[in-house]
Amino acid sequence: MADLPERRERRTISLRTRLLVLVLVPLLGFAAFASILVTHRVQRVQAAEDAVRQLRAAVALDTLRARIAEEAIPLVSSVELLELSAEGGSLRERNRLAITLHTLYAGAVARTDVAVAAATADPLARPQVAQAVQRLDVVRASWGAGETASARETSNRQLFDKYRFLVSQLSEAVDAHLITAAAESGDTGLQTAVTDLRLAARATTLAGEEVPYYLGYLSAPAGAEGPARTLFLRSWAGFKNTSDDLVASRHPAIRSGWITAMTHVDAQGIDKLLAAAAADDDRTVPGSDVLVQLSTAVVGRDDALREVLEVAAEEAVRTAEAYRAQARRELLRYGGAAALLLVLSVGGTLYTSRSIAGPLARLADAAGSISRGDLVDVEVEGPPEARVVARGLGAAVTSLRSVQAQAQAVADGDLEDEILRRPVGGPLGRVVHASVQQIVGALRDRELLQEEMAHQATHDALTALPNRAEALTQVDRALRRTHRTGDRVGLLFVDLDQFKTVNDSLGHVAGDAVLQAVAQRLRDRVRAVDVVARLGGDEFVVLVEPVLDDKGLVDLGQALIDTVSAPIALPGGTESRALVGASVGIAVSRVGGQHPGAGGDGPGEPGEQADRLLQEAHTAAYRAKQAGRGRVEVYDDDLRAALAAQTAVEEGLRHALAHDELVLHYQPVTSLDTGRVGSVEALVRWQKPGEGLVPPGRFIPVAEGSDLICDLGRWALRTSLRQLAEFDAAGGPCAGLRVAVNVSGRHLRSPRLVDDVRTALAAAGTRPDRLTLEITETVMVEDDAAWARLEELRAIGVRVAIDDFGTGYTSFGQLSRVPVDVLKIDRSFVDSDDPRTVELVRLVVGAARSFGLGVVAEGVEQASQVHALQATGCDWAQGFHFSRPVPAERLAAAVQDCGAVFAATNGFERAS
């Protein structure tokens, strides 16, 4: 229950929050109401804009509808006029009428095209315009169809129906846009303007229909006059009624415009003719001149009516835009009012928070800081109640600062500070004073423990010598000192020889005793100022500072070897002794402590120089081991240049692998019985840009010293098998050849070798028995794991050859169990004239035949060597005598040359 007040305090709402809630509740209510009003005004603006777009689309489509309707007039006229001229007129008269009607039709088409271009500019009407134009193109293509006059007349009547259908569709589209425009807005004035516009559009539509229906009535065949007259009367009466409604329009401009249009001479002429036709029950066909004038008058009347329609459209658009402007003004007015009230409300909230909640919040922050141990000053401000609390809290801070000062003195280890003698009043002061003595004892114990732990962290537990980290620290400090004094630092890397043998044969206890003895001997042999450290395992270093001369370091290194090489008595009360040796590598910094490999003239980073100096000493020790062990090697300019050259070759080889600078050359292997080439050996060559072919002796040893040799082997496997498949596909002398690829010892020891071979075979689609892997005899003898790897490769069908056979340690007795298929006799045996060597080759061939192995002689360069090998029964030979290694593109010619060389060699033998 002790933490109940704390939980209650966490659940309490702060004063600032209460004030904010008090102000924000009505503010949020007003904001919600304002957002509704603003949203409503935004919707009104959008509705007005949509109405404007709908009206403009309707006007554009109605103009297009009127022009398309005009095209139909000459069609119907042509039926009646051509019939009349055929009955009573001459051929010349008939042709004149046809030309006149075609001219009228062409003019109507041109006006329609102009209307199409104008309507297409409206984005909302554009899809309907495109659909209407597509149908209009089909209708126009039917003009004047038919070979006879009767057929053309029938076609033109059908064409008129198609025009009428297209006009009807456009009229419906116009009406739909107008209905949408009226529905988009809730404004009464806009709805009235849209209604007048719909009425004007309806009138112009009916005006465009009554003349075609009249002409259709005149040209209707016998028996069809009744329905045709009904259509005519319906359109004529509809136009009259709509015209009367427009005359009674409440809009003055529309009313006066319509009256003016109806008094137009073309409109009066059409109305007079159509009224007489409507009153006459008998079909009376006027003369051809009257019908031609009628077709022309329709255009004039439609243009007059279109002006009224444009007035109505302008009025509707103006009303819609006015409605949109009003909605925008309301939107700005309501939005501005809402923003202003919001700013005023936020300002009032901030003022209240600053004057009341601010001081209380700062007082609460001060209390929180004090409770966390930060004894801050408490500012006295705010309402009277808050000032009383602030003064009391400030007095508590003063007392806590005294306690803090005493605790800080103890933490600093200054136990004699005067502050510790000043007890603080109250129970807390007595408790602090009583704890001082206990804290002092604890601090002393901790210091002793830290010293012990620091020694363990920097020293080797077995030999008590400084460990690797401490050795690097000591080297770094020495380099920094010599940088100031101008002296040099020497580092001797001592690597024990035969220690692994002692450890494995005599056990780890004996090995630990040897390491302890070596450590003691090294300490005894060097000066007191020199530092001896154990890096780990059987590796030690000796730091010499300063270095007076290099010869003295070499002498010291030899003395260390002699000291370490003396027999070491082993524990256990026995007479057994251990013998180990040492190889020593020496690295020396330059004058002023600068590392020899550092660039520039400055000292560089000492920490990095220590690492480099240790690495150079280790490299020199490795060189000493390679040179025969028990030696002293100095990391000098020659070794540095050799390593730099090796590094350059290694980097260049990595670049060559990544940028396709490597190529394969192939050396044929020729049968000594038939002269036929049965296989080739793939040899890696480096075609370096700007330098040409790099000799293999320059990069192969470097690759073998790193993992690059494995990458090189994988590349050779993939490339040789791929080119082998290309040889097969091309046909010729290279088809069907086998290929031999050299595998390094490092690659053979890699667990990836079998997968590398499988992957290369699968990628090339080559049978495994066409691939031979050449392994040096030394690798097989030194690595037992290589045998198991070769057995696995042979199990999948890959052949294995021992390269340079005779230079290793394989005995004839081992051939029965060695996992190989071919022996390749080293060139040193082929090139020898010693009869004993020839006999040895004969024995190798005989032993190989006994175990079912093939034999290939390498380095054959003379005809006499061919004859000698044939005498021993050797199967195959390769060498410069038959062919040098050649690129893939020259292999076919080289294979043919081998046969010719073989024939010439054997012909010479027979002749002699």
Side-chain angles (χ1 to χ4, degrees), residues 829-909:
F829 295 96
V830 177
D831 192 38
S832 176
D833 295 332
D834 190 341
R836 292 175 297 178
T837 303
V838 176
E839 186 61 29
L840 180 60
V841 172
R842 188 185 305 277
L843 289 175
V844 171
V845 173
R849 289 190 182 279
S850 300
F851 296 111
L853 305 178
V855 180
V856 177
E858 295 183 292
V860 177
E861 298 183 358
Q862 301 174 11
S864 59
Q865 294 173 348
V866 174
H867 304 152
L869 289 170
Q870 287 174 330
T872 64
C874 182
D875 302 321
W876 303 85
Q878 71 179 91
F880 289 176
H881 177 71
F882 291 104
S883 175
R884 291 178 177 270
V886 296
E889 59 269 17
R890 291 169 49 194
L891 182 58
V895 169
Q896 293 177 339
D897 291 343
C898 287
V901 170
F902 178 82
T905 301
N906 284 288
F908 173 76
E909 180 183 14

Side-chain angles (χ1 to χ4, degrees), residues 219-232:
S219 61
E225 306 97 320
R229 179 174 175 80
T230 300
L231 289 175
F232 160 63

Side-chain angles (χ1 to χ4, degrees), residues 462 499 508-519 568-571:
L462 179 63
F499 175 75
H508 293 290
V509 175
D512 291 346
V514 169
L515 292 175
Q516 289 172 335
V518 168
I568 299 174
L570 298 178

Side-chain angles (χ1 to χ4, degrees), residues 410-487:
V410 174
D412 294 340
D414 188 6
L415 303 181
E416 302 299 326
D417 196 320
E418 180 65 24
I419 191 66
L420 296 176
R421 299 186 182 92
R422 300 177 188 172
V424 181
L428 178 62
R430 291 191 294 271
V431 171
V432 171
H433 187 72
S435 301
V436 168
Q437 297 303 320
Q438 295 181 0
I439 295 174
V440 169
L443 287 176
R444 289 175 178 171
D445 293 341
R446 187 184 67 176
E447 289 175 355
L448 293 175
L449 180 60
Q450 286 178 341
E451 291 177 359
E452 182 180 352
M453 293 179 64
H455 184 272
Q456 293 177 358
T458 57
H459 287 73
D460 175 49
L462 179 63
T463 63
L465 294 177
N467 57 18
R468 183 185 186 90
E470 180 63 16
L472 286 173
T473 301
Q474 294 287 351
V475 174
D476 179 46
R477 291 173 181 171
L479 289 171
R480 293 178 185 273
R481 286 193 295 268
T482 55
H483 176 60
R484 296 191 299 268
T485 61
D487 295 326

